[in-house]
Amino acid sequence: MSEMTQAAATLKEIGWAVSVFGSARLPPESPYYALSEKIGHRLAGIGLTVIAGGGPGIMEAVNKGAYEAGGNSVGLNIKLPRETDNNRFQTHSLHFDYFYSRKATFFMHSAAYVALPGGFGTLDELFEVMTLVQTRKVPPAPIILIGTEFWAGLIQWIREELLSLKLIGPDDLDLLTITDDIDLAMQKIEAHCTEFAQHREVAPALPE
């Protein structure tokens, strides 16, 4: 509870943000690292805070892009056997011992979500936010998957198994945007956040 209270106080001061999920294991040579860095830079450029996991890989890249663009770059840091060091591209660092409070923090002040390739942790975060948006436990928000080739198999399985058995609604997959086009992703995020700001007193004012 103390972790969540501290996180809530920090994020309230910063304002609304975009949470970005992705693997700690992808190296800087990965094309997804470069894409993530660009996404962080672009988000900072329109005045949005970036929230990432604080570790290496995709998390480092998106934090780096936001940090070097002069934006707010939040890291939700947790020490794991494979992730002993946090990345240095953070303007605001929060530290967690528990996955529960760390994951809940992603959804406290996010107006949009971006997922890049990742493993169990990324999938856990992705399905959590899909569930929260689907059940309206958090405000409606874009959920954007970057990497059409990577996500194709998962989306096909969801259609063939979950949708065919009516385990999800016919419109639930509409919650997702799957693309390789960062411009399209940014257009969706910016359009939503502009509308979102009109209904939230603490939402950031996006530059014209």
Short mmCIF file of all heavy atoms in Angstrom, two decimals, residues 155-199:
data_model
loop_
_atom_site.label_atom_id
_atom_site.label_comp_id
_atom_site.label_asym_id
_atom_site.label_seq_id
_atom_site.Cartn_x
_atom_site.Cartn_y
_atom_site.Cartn_z
N ILE A 155 -3.14 -12.57 -32.15
CA ILE A 155 -4.44 -12.04 -32.58
C ILE A 155 -5.24 -13.12 -33.31
O ILE A 155 -6.45 -13.27 -33.11
CB ILE A 155 -4.25 -10.80 -33.47
CG1 ILE A 155 -3.53 -9.69 -32.69
CG2 ILE A 155 -5.59 -10.30 -33.97
CD1 ILE A 155 -4.20 -9.27 -31.40
N GLN A 156 -4.55 -13.91 -34.13
CA GLN A 156 -5.23 -15.01 -34.82
C GLN A 156 -5.80 -16.00 -33.83
O GLN A 156 -6.94 -16.47 -33.97
CB GLN A 156 -4.26 -15.71 -35.77
CG GLN A 156 -4.90 -16.84 -36.56
CD GLN A 156 -3.93 -17.52 -37.51
OE1 GLN A 156 -2.81 -17.05 -37.71
NE2 GLN A 156 -4.35 -18.61 -38.11
N TRP A 157 -5.02 -16.35 -32.78
CA TRP A 157 -5.50 -17.29 -31.76
C TRP A 157 -6.72 -16.72 -31.02
O TRP A 157 -7.68 -17.44 -30.76
CB TRP A 157 -4.37 -17.59 -30.78
CG TRP A 157 -4.79 -18.55 -29.69
CD1 TRP A 157 -4.85 -19.90 -29.76
CD2 TRP A 157 -5.24 -18.19 -28.38
NE1 TRP A 157 -5.30 -20.43 -28.55
CE2 TRP A 157 -5.54 -19.39 -27.70
CE3 TRP A 157 -5.40 -16.97 -27.72
CZ2 TRP A 157 -6.00 -19.40 -26.38
CZ3 TRP A 157 -5.86 -16.98 -26.41
CH2 TRP A 157 -6.16 -18.19 -25.75
N ILE A 158 -6.68 -15.45 -30.71
CA ILE A 158 -7.81 -14.83 -30.02
C ILE A 158 -9.07 -14.91 -30.89
O ILE A 158 -10.16 -15.24 -30.40
CB ILE A 158 -7.49 -13.35 -29.67
CG1 ILE A 158 -6.42 -13.31 -28.57
CG2 ILE A 158 -8.75 -12.62 -29.21
CD1 ILE A 158 -5.93 -11.91 -28.25
N ARG A 159 -8.90 -14.65 -32.19
CA ARG A 159 -10.06 -14.73 -33.09
C ARG A 159 -10.59 -16.15 -33.20
O ARG A 159 -11.80 -16.39 -33.12
CB ARG A 159 -9.67 -14.23 -34.49
CG ARG A 159 -9.40 -12.75 -34.59
CD ARG A 159 -9.17 -12.34 -36.04
NE ARG A 159 -8.67 -10.99 -36.15
CZ ARG A 159 -9.45 -9.91 -36.07
NH1 ARG A 159 -10.75 -10.04 -35.89
NH2 ARG A 159 -8.91 -8.70 -36.19
N GLU A 160 -9.67 -17.12 -33.38
CA GLU A 160 -10.09 -18.49 -33.65
C GLU A 160 -10.60 -19.20 -32.40
O GLU A 160 -11.47 -20.08 -32.50
CB GLU A 160 -8.92 -19.27 -34.25
CG GLU A 160 -8.53 -18.79 -35.64
CD GLU A 160 -7.35 -19.55 -36.21
OE1 GLU A 160 -6.77 -20.38 -35.46
OE2 GLU A 160 -7.00 -19.32 -37.38
N GLU A 161 -10.07 -18.86 -31.24
CA GLU A 161 -10.44 -19.57 -30.02
C GLU A 161 -11.40 -18.75 -29.15
O GLU A 161 -12.52 -19.17 -28.89
CB GLU A 161 -9.18 -19.95 -29.24
CG GLU A 161 -8.21 -20.82 -30.02
CD GLU A 161 -8.79 -22.17 -30.40
OE1 GLU A 161 -9.72 -22.66 -29.71
OE2 GLU A 161 -8.32 -22.76 -31.41
N LEU A 162 -10.98 -17.59 -28.73
CA LEU A 162 -11.81 -16.81 -27.80
C LEU A 162 -13.07 -16.28 -28.48
O LEU A 162 -14.18 -16.41 -27.95
CB LEU A 162 -11.00 -15.66 -27.21
CG LEU A 162 -9.70 -16.00 -26.49
CD1 LEU A 162 -9.15 -14.77 -25.79
CD2 LEU A 162 -9.90 -17.13 -25.49
N LEU A 163 -12.89 -15.67 -29.66
CA LEU A 163 -14.03 -15.06 -30.32
C LEU A 163 -14.99 -16.11 -30.85
O LEU A 163 -16.22 -15.98 -30.71
CB LEU A 163 -13.54 -14.15 -31.46
CG LEU A 163 -14.59 -13.26 -32.12
CD1 LEU A 163 -15.26 -12.35 -31.10
CD2 LEU A 163 -13.94 -12.42 -33.22
N SER A 164 -14.46 -17.19 -31.42
CA SER A 164 -15.33 -18.21 -31.99
C SER A 164 -16.17 -18.91 -30.92
O SER A 164 -17.30 -19.32 -31.18
CB SER A 164 -14.51 -19.25 -32.76
OG SER A 164 -13.69 -19.99 -31.88
N LEU A 165 -15.63 -19.02 -29.72
CA LEU A 165 -16.37 -19.64 -28.62
C LEU A 165 -17.19 -18.62 -27.82
O LEU A 165 -17.78 -18.97 -26.80
CB LEU A 165 -15.39 -20.36 -27.68
CG LEU A 165 -14.70 -21.60 -28.26
CD1 LEU A 165 -13.65 -22.12 -27.28
CD2 LEU A 165 -15.70 -22.69 -28.59
N LYS A 166 -17.16 -17.39 -28.29
CA LYS A 166 -17.90 -16.29 -27.64
C LYS A 166 -17.44 -16.08 -26.20
O LYS A 166 -18.22 -15.73 -25.32
CB LYS A 166 -19.41 -16.55 -27.69
CG LYS A 166 -19.96 -16.63 -29.11
CD LYS A 166 -21.47 -16.80 -29.13
CE LYS A 166 -21.96 -16.86 -30.58
NZ LYS A 166 -23.43 -17.05 -30.65
N LEU A 167 -16.12 -16.26 -25.98
CA LEU A 167 -15.54 -15.99 -24.68
C LEU A 167 -15.22 -14.51 -24.51
O LEU A 167 -14.97 -14.05 -23.40
CB LEU A 167 -14.28 -16.83 -24.48
CG LEU A 167 -14.50 -18.35 -24.59
CD1 LEU A 167 -13.18 -19.09 -24.44
CD2 LEU A 167 -15.50 -18.83 -23.54
N ILE A 168 -15.20 -13.79 -25.63
CA ILE A 168 -15.12 -12.34 -25.62
C ILE A 168 -16.21 -11.82 -26.54
O ILE A 168 -16.78 -12.57 -27.34
CB ILE A 168 -13.73 -11.82 -26.08
CG1 ILE A 168 -13.42 -12.30 -27.50
CG2 ILE A 168 -12.65 -12.24 -25.11
CD1 ILE A 168 -12.14 -11.70 -28.08
N GLY A 169 -16.51 -10.52 -26.43
CA GLY A 169 -17.55 -9.93 -27.25
C GLY A 169 -17.07 -9.67 -28.66
O GLY A 169 -15.87 -9.59 -28.93
N PRO A 170 -18.01 -9.50 -29.61
CA PRO A 170 -17.64 -9.29 -31.01
C PRO A 170 -16.85 -8.01 -31.24
O PRO A 170 -16.14 -7.90 -32.24
CB PRO A 170 -19.00 -9.25 -31.73
CG PRO A 170 -19.99 -8.93 -30.66
CD PRO A 170 -19.46 -9.53 -29.41
N ASP A 171 -16.95 -7.05 -30.33
CA ASP A 171 -16.25 -5.79 -30.52
C ASP A 171 -15.00 -5.66 -29.65
O ASP A 171 -14.32 -4.63 -29.70
CB ASP A 171 -17.19 -4.61 -30.20
CG ASP A 171 -18.42 -4.59 -31.09
OD1 ASP A 171 -18.29 -4.96 -32.28
OD2 ASP A 171 -19.50 -4.21 -30.61
N ASP A 172 -14.69 -6.68 -28.88
CA ASP A 172 -13.59 -6.54 -27.93
C ASP A 172 -12.23 -6.38 -28.61
O ASP A 172 -11.35 -5.67 -28.09
CB ASP A 172 -13.55 -7.74 -26.97
CG ASP A 172 -14.64 -7.66 -25.91
OD1 ASP A 172 -15.19 -6.56 -25.71
OD2 ASP A 172 -14.95 -8.69 -25.30
N LEU A 173 -12.04 -7.01 -29.75
CA LEU A 173 -10.77 -6.83 -30.45
C LEU A 173 -10.61 -5.43 -31.02
O LEU A 173 -9.50 -5.02 -31.35
CB LEU A 173 -10.62 -7.88 -31.56
CG LEU A 173 -10.03 -9.22 -31.14
CD1 LEU A 173 -10.06 -10.20 -32.28
CD2 LEU A 173 -8.60 -9.05 -30.62
N ASP A 174 -11.71 -4.69 -31.10
CA ASP A 174 -11.63 -3.30 -31.55
C ASP A 174 -10.92 -2.42 -30.53
O ASP A 174 -10.59 -1.26 -30.84
CB ASP A 174 -13.03 -2.74 -31.82
CG ASP A 174 -13.72 -3.43 -33.00
OD1 ASP A 174 -13.00 -4.06 -33.81
OD2 ASP A 174 -14.95 -3.36 -33.10
N LEU A 175 -10.72 -2.95 -29.32
CA LEU A 175 -9.95 -2.20 -28.33
C LEU A 175 -8.50 -2.01 -28.77
O LEU A 175 -7.82 -1.11 -28.29
CB LEU A 175 -9.97 -2.93 -26.99
CG LEU A 175 -11.32 -3.12 -26.30
CD1 LEU A 175 -11.16 -4.01 -25.06
CD2 LEU A 175 -11.92 -1.78 -25.91
N LEU A 176 -8.03 -2.88 -29.68
CA LEU A 176 -6.63 -2.91 -30.07
C LEU A 176 -6.41 -2.27 -31.44
O LEU A 176 -7.22 -2.43 -32.34
CB LEU A 176 -6.12 -4.36 -30.12
CG LEU A 176 -6.24 -5.18 -28.85
CD1 LEU A 176 -5.81 -6.61 -29.13
CD2 LEU A 176 -5.40 -4.58 -27.74
N THR A 177 -5.28 -1.59 -31.56
CA THR A 177 -4.78 -1.16 -32.85
C THR A 177 -3.42 -1.82 -33.06
O THR A 177 -2.52 -1.64 -32.23
CB THR A 177 -4.61 0.37 -32.90
OG1 THR A 177 -5.87 1.00 -32.73
CG2 THR A 177 -4.00 0.81 -34.23
N ILE A 178 -3.29 -2.61 -34.12
CA ILE A 178 -2.03 -3.30 -34.40
C ILE A 178 -1.40 -2.65 -35.62
O ILE A 178 -2.03 -2.60 -36.70
CB ILE A 178 -2.25 -4.81 -34.64
CG1 ILE A 178 -2.97 -5.44 -33.45
CG2 ILE A 178 -0.93 -5.51 -34.89
CD1 ILE A 178 -4.45 -5.63 -33.63
N THR A 179 -0.19 -2.14 -35.46
CA THR A 179 0.41 -1.37 -36.55
C THR A 179 1.93 -1.37 -36.44
O THR A 179 2.49 -1.65 -35.38
CB THR A 179 -0.12 0.08 -36.53
OG1 THR A 179 0.37 0.79 -37.67
CG2 THR A 179 0.31 0.81 -35.26
N ASP A 180 2.58 -1.04 -37.55
CA ASP A 180 4.02 -0.74 -37.57
C ASP A 180 4.26 0.74 -37.81
O ASP A 180 5.40 1.19 -37.86
CB ASP A 180 4.71 -1.53 -38.69
CG ASP A 180 4.64 -3.03 -38.47
OD1 ASP A 180 4.97 -3.48 -37.35
OD2 ASP A 180 4.23 -3.76 -39.41
N ASP A 181 3.18 1.49 -37.95
CA ASP A 181 3.24 2.90 -38.34
C ASP A 181 3.19 3.78 -37.10
O ASP A 181 2.13 3.96 -36.48
CB ASP A 181 2.05 3.21 -39.27
CG ASP A 181 2.12 4.60 -39.87
OD1 ASP A 181 2.87 5.44 -39.34
OD2 ASP A 181 1.42 4.85 -40.86
N ILE A 182 4.32 4.35 -36.73
CA ILE A 182 4.37 5.20 -35.53
C ILE A 182 3.53 6.46 -35.73
O ILE A 182 2.91 6.96 -34.79
CB ILE A 182 5.82 5.55 -35.18
CG1 ILE A 182 6.55 4.29 -34.72
CG2 ILE A 182 5.88 6.61 -34.08
CD1 ILE A 182 7.98 4.51 -34.32
N ASP A 183 3.49 6.98 -36.96
CA ASP A 183 2.66 8.16 -37.21
C ASP A 183 1.19 7.87 -36.90
O ASP A 183 0.50 8.69 -36.28
CB ASP A 183 2.80 8.63 -38.67
CG ASP A 183 4.15 9.24 -38.96
OD1 ASP A 183 4.80 9.74 -38.01
OD2 ASP A 183 4.57 9.23 -40.12
N LEU A 184 0.70 6.72 -37.33
CA LEU A 184 -0.68 6.34 -37.03
C LEU A 184 -0.88 6.20 -35.53
O LEU A 184 -1.89 6.67 -34.98
CB LEU A 184 -1.02 5.02 -37.73
CG LEU A 184 -2.40 4.42 -37.39
CD1 LEU A 184 -3.51 5.35 -37.83
CD2 LEU A 184 -2.56 3.04 -38.03
N ALA A 185 0.06 5.56 -34.87
CA ALA A 185 -0.04 5.40 -33.41
C ALA A 185 -0.11 6.75 -32.72
O ALA A 185 -0.95 6.98 -31.83
CB ALA A 185 1.15 4.59 -32.89
N MET A 186 0.73 7.67 -33.13
CA MET A 186 0.75 8.99 -32.51
C MET A 186 -0.53 9.77 -32.79
O MET A 186 -1.03 10.49 -31.93
CB MET A 186 1.98 9.77 -32.99
CG MET A 186 3.30 9.19 -32.54
SD MET A 186 3.45 8.99 -30.74
CE MET A 186 3.15 10.67 -30.21
N GLN A 187 -1.05 9.63 -33.99
CA GLN A 187 -2.31 10.31 -34.33
C GLN A 187 -3.43 9.84 -33.41
O GLN A 187 -4.22 10.64 -32.90
CB GLN A 187 -2.68 10.05 -35.78
CG GLN A 187 -1.81 10.79 -36.79
CD GLN A 187 -2.04 10.29 -38.21
OE1 GLN A 187 -2.99 9.56 -38.49
NE2 GLN A 187 -1.14 10.66 -39.12
N LYS A 188 -3.51 8.53 -33.19
CA LYS A 188 -4.55 7.98 -32.32
C LYS A 188 -4.37 8.45 -30.88
O LYS A 188 -5.33 8.82 -30.20
CB LYS A 188 -4.55 6.45 -32.40
CG LYS A 188 -5.18 5.91 -33.67
CD LYS A 188 -5.28 4.40 -33.64
CE LYS A 188 -6.10 3.88 -34.81
NZ LYS A 188 -7.53 4.22 -34.70
N ILE A 189 -3.14 8.43 -30.41
CA ILE A 189 -2.87 8.85 -29.04
C ILE A 189 -3.17 10.34 -28.86
O ILE A 189 -3.84 10.74 -27.91
CB ILE A 189 -1.41 8.54 -28.66
CG1 ILE A 189 -1.20 7.02 -28.57
CG2 ILE A 189 -1.04 9.21 -27.34
CD1 ILE A 189 0.24 6.61 -28.43
N GLU A 190 -2.69 11.15 -29.79
CA GLU A 190 -2.87 12.60 -29.64
C GLU A 190 -4.35 12.98 -29.74
O GLU A 190 -4.84 13.80 -28.96
CB GLU A 190 -2.06 13.34 -30.70
CG GLU A 190 -2.04 14.85 -30.49
CD GLU A 190 -1.01 15.56 -31.34
OE1 GLU A 190 -0.38 14.90 -32.19
OE2 GLU A 190 -0.85 16.78 -31.16
N ALA A 191 -5.07 12.36 -30.68
CA ALA A 191 -6.50 12.67 -30.82
C ALA A 191 -7.26 12.27 -29.56
O ALA A 191 -8.11 13.02 -29.06
CB ALA A 191 -7.07 11.94 -32.03
N HIS A 192 -6.94 11.10 -29.01
CA HIS A 192 -7.63 10.66 -27.80
C HIS A 192 -7.28 11.55 -26.62
O HIS A 192 -8.16 11.92 -25.83
CB HIS A 192 -7.25 9.21 -27.49
CG HIS A 192 -7.84 8.73 -26.20
ND1 HIS A 192 -9.16 8.35 -26.08
CD2 HIS A 192 -7.30 8.61 -24.95
CE1 HIS A 192 -9.40 8.00 -24.82
NE2 HIS A 192 -8.28 8.14 -24.13
N CYS A 193 -6.00 11.88 -26.47
CA CYS A 193 -5.58 12.68 -25.32
C CYS A 193 -6.12 14.10 -25.38
O CYS A 193 -6.39 14.71 -24.34
CB CYS A 193 -4.06 12.69 -25.21
SG CYS A 193 -3.37 11.10 -24.68
N THR A 194 -6.29 14.63 -26.57
CA THR A 194 -6.90 15.95 -26.70
C THR A 194 -8.34 15.91 -26.20
O THR A 194 -8.78 16.79 -25.45
CB THR A 194 -6.86 16.42 -28.16
OG1 THR A 194 -5.50 16.52 -28.59
CG2 THR A 194 -7.53 17.78 -28.32
N GLU A 195 -9.07 14.87 -26.59
CA GLU A 195 -10.45 14.70 -26.11
C GLU A 195 -10.46 14.40 -24.61
O GLU A 195 -11.29 14.91 -23.85
CB GLU A 195 -11.14 13.58 -26.87
CG GLU A 195 -12.57 13.33 -26.45
CD GLU A 195 -13.22 12.20 -27.22
OE1 GLU A 195 -12.57 11.66 -28.14
OE2 GLU A 195 -14.36 11.84 -26.89
N PHE A 196 -9.54 13.55 -24.19
CA PHE A 196 -9.43 13.15 -22.79
C PHE A 196 -9.20 14.37 -21.90
O PHE A 196 -9.78 14.49 -20.81
CB PHE A 196 -8.27 12.17 -22.66
CG PHE A 196 -8.11 11.52 -21.32
CD1 PHE A 196 -8.80 10.37 -21.00
CD2 PHE A 196 -7.25 12.06 -20.37
CE1 PHE A 196 -8.65 9.75 -19.76
CE2 PHE A 196 -7.09 11.46 -19.14
CZ PHE A 196 -7.79 10.30 -18.84
N ALA A 197 -8.35 15.30 -22.37
CA ALA A 197 -8.00 16.47 -21.58
C ALA A 197 -9.21 17.35 -21.30
O ALA A 197 -9.26 18.05 -20.29
CB ALA A 197 -6.92 17.29 -22.30
N GLN A 198 -10.18 17.31 -22.18
CA GLN A 198 -11.37 18.13 -22.00
C GLN A 198 -12.25 17.62 -20.86
O GLN A 198 -13.11 18.34 -20.36
CB GLN A 198 -12.18 18.17 -23.30
CG GLN A 198 -11.43 18.82 -24.45
CD GLN A 198 -12.15 18.65 -25.78
OE1 GLN A 198 -13.22 18.07 -25.85
NE2 GLN A 198 -11.55 19.19 -26.83
N HIS A 199 -12.03 16.37 -20.44
CA HIS A 199 -12.87 15.77 -19.39
C HIS A 199 -12.10 15.52 -18.10
O HIS A 199 -12.68 15.02 -17.14
CB HIS A 199 -13.45 14.44 -19.89
CG HIS A 199 -14.34 14.60 -21.08
ND1 HIS A 199 -13.87 14.49 -22.37
CD2 HIS A 199 -15.66 14.89 -21.18
CE1 HIS A 199 -14.87 14.68 -23.22
NE2 HIS A 199 -15.95 14.92 -22.53
#
